[in-house]
Amino acid sequence: MIFTTIREIRHHINEEKKKGRQIGLVPTMGYLHEGHLSLIRQAKERGNYVVLSIFVNPLQFGPNEDYARYPRDLKRDEKLADEAGVDAIFAPSVEEMYPEKSLTYVTVEKLSDTLCGLTRPGHFRGVATVVSKLFHIIEPDEAFFGQKDIQQVRIIEQMVTDLNFPIKVVRCPIIREEDGLAMSSRNVYLSPAERREAPILYKALRRAEKAFLNGEIDGNTLVHLVKEQIEQSPSAKIEYVRLVHLKTLDEVTKVTDPAILAVAVRFGTTRLIDNILLEPSQNLHYMHKHEGEHGGA
Ligand code: PAF
């Protein structure tokens, strides 16, 4: 079932809520891939009535970004959503979501000003604003977001806390192509040669992860390992490689708390992001130091 107006989807959700259904929202910009489908499956597994929103949100694109050419294929999305078990699709027009020029925005300070926020000013304000609108329209119990956009997830989690949305944000793992490239609707922009080079991002992150698991916790060293590997790729232009605290997104010099090693790299006009989570409890030195603390002989 596909709904294009706020009035209709609200009415429909109210009816489902009256039947006692728990609502799970999967917000997307469409052009669905396996990453989105995994969010849908997760939402289903948790017993939700699954609402998929498809809306290419102009507010989160900068003037020189890819809003106009962002891939769109509603028919294909409908079919994939249906096969994955989506219960209702909300696919509004831009006029439906923004009938007049908005004067109200949601800004999550600090977390929006780092990493991707540095080169995409206004992007996270656009994301937080549209997600809060979707939360008000759908009023889901749970909402599902992929860890690939970890900064986005942290911003939404913070917004949910700060603005008291009664919604559980469920963070879902990154889904990758067989060669390691993180799934993204933007991967279709890559030329065949760029596509062949793009898995270098994950390869580089894995290189640092391996060093970390073997005991390396120094931020500069881990960042250097990633940069050195990506620089091997002739068409990759690094925008950033950063090691940040999972919660605050502040730069960290040593991994003593859960941290994110995050990259943004351009291949021609295509900007790709990826990240891995580094958990101190999985680090060899940490494990030796804390051996025997957690029960056992
Ligand atoms: O991750 C996305 O696809 C978008 O940023 C989102 C969350 C649907 C908001 O437009």
Side-chain angles (χ1 to χ4, degrees):
M1 243 175 307
I2 180 152
F3 299 88
T4 54
T5 68
I6 296 169
R7 196 178 55 80
E8 282 166 347
I9 188 79
R10 274 204 169 127
H11 175 75
H12 180 74
I13 301 285
N14 274 339
E15 293 302 304
E16 292 305 319
K17 285 195 170 174
K18 278 188 211 153
K19 294 180 206 158
R21 303 301 304 267
Q22 171 177 295
I23 309 296
L25 172 66
V26 179
T28 77
M29 298 206 298
Y31 212 69
L32 303 182
H33 51 67
E34 206 36 56
H36 299 115
L37 301 180
S38 78
L39 303 181
I40 295 169
R41 280 186 212 113
Q42 177 81 351
K44 274 227 95 68
E45 270 163 31
R46 293 170 63 96
N48 290 290
Y49 180 87
V50 179
V51 180
L52 175 79
S53 67
I54 299 179
F55 180 61
V56 185
N57 172 35
L59 220 58
Q60 68 188 73
F61 289 81
N64 299 319
E65 292 186 353
D66 55 342
Y67 174 67
R69 72 165 181 146
Y70 195 85
R72 295 160 169 90
D73 190 342
L74 191 56
K75 278 276 152 286
R76 175 178 166 276
D77 287 346
E78 261 185 271
K79 188 167 173 291
L80 289 172
D82 196 46
E83 284 163 9
V86 164
D87 297 293
I89 297 178
F90 177 51
S93 64
V94 173
E95 296 71 36
E96 180 70 9
M97 286 297 272
Y98 303 112
E100 292 165 19
K101 184 160 172 23
S102 299
L103 297 177
T104 307
Y105 298 94
V106 179
T107 302
V108 179
E109 293 185 353
K110 183 175 172 286
L111 298 182
S112 301
D113 302 334
T114 179
L115 302 172
C116 295
L118 292 170
T119 48
R120 304 190 69 192
H123 168 67
F124 289 113
R125 180 177 85 151
V127 170
T129 303
V130 80
V131 171
S132 70
K133 280 169 79 82
L134 290 168
F135 283 179
H136 283 302
I137 295 165
I138 311 288
E139 297 187 338
D141 299 284
E142 299 189 328
F144 297 79
F145 296 90
Q147 190 190 306
K148 186 178 137 275
D149 298 296
I150 186 67
Q151 185 175 13
Q152 167 171 285
V153 183
R154 278 296 304 117
I155 286 168
I156 290 161
E157 286 169 348
Q158 189 70 42
M159 177 183 88
V160 161
T161 305
D162 293 349
L163 299 184
N164 306 94
F165 281 101
I167 296 171
K168 180 175 171 53
V169 173
V170 183
R171 209 188 277 176
C172 303
I174 300 178
I175 304 297
R176 299 180 180 281
E177 302 285 357
E178 252 171 44
D179 59 10
L181 177 64
M183 295 218 183
S184 161
S185 305
R186 289 190 167 99
N187 290 349
V188 295
Y189 299 155
L190 296 166
S191 71
E194 291 163 350
R195 174 64 189 82
R196 278 193 296 277
E197 287 181 37
I200 195 95
L201 265 64
Y202 187 50
K203 201 165 161 203
L205 290 171
R206 288 289 298 270
R207 182 183 192 215
E209 183 185 42
K210 194 165 160 214
F212 168 74
L213 295 175
N214 284 323
E216 182 60 72
I217 60 162
D218 180 67
N220 282 337
T221 308
L222 294 168
V223 165
H224 174 74
L225 285 170
V226 176
K227 279 192 176 157
E228 196 179 55
Q229 177 95 53
I230 296 177
E231 280 161 2
Q232 309 272 309
S233 158
S235 30
K237 300 265 172 303
I238 296 178
E239 191 178 286
Y240 65 73
V241 178
R242 303 263 313 270
L243 180 72
V244 296
H245 192 283
L246 171 61
K247 194 148 193 277
T248 62
L249 302 185
D250 287 337
E251 191 107 40
V252 296
T253 49
K254 298 248 177 289
V255 186
T256 49
D257 284 320
I260 289 284
L261 193 49
V263 300
V265 175
R266 281 185 190 278
F267 288 89
T269 54
T270 311
R271 184 177 178 278
L272 300 181
I273 56 170
D274 201 349
N275 67 79
I276 47 164
L277 175 63
L278 302 179
E279 292 269 14
S281 59
Q282 293 170 352
N283 173 277
L284 205 62
H285 286 181
Y286 178 99
M287 288 196 308
H288 283 164
K289 224 163 94 192
H290 294 78
E291 228 161 27
E293 274 180 14
H294 307 293

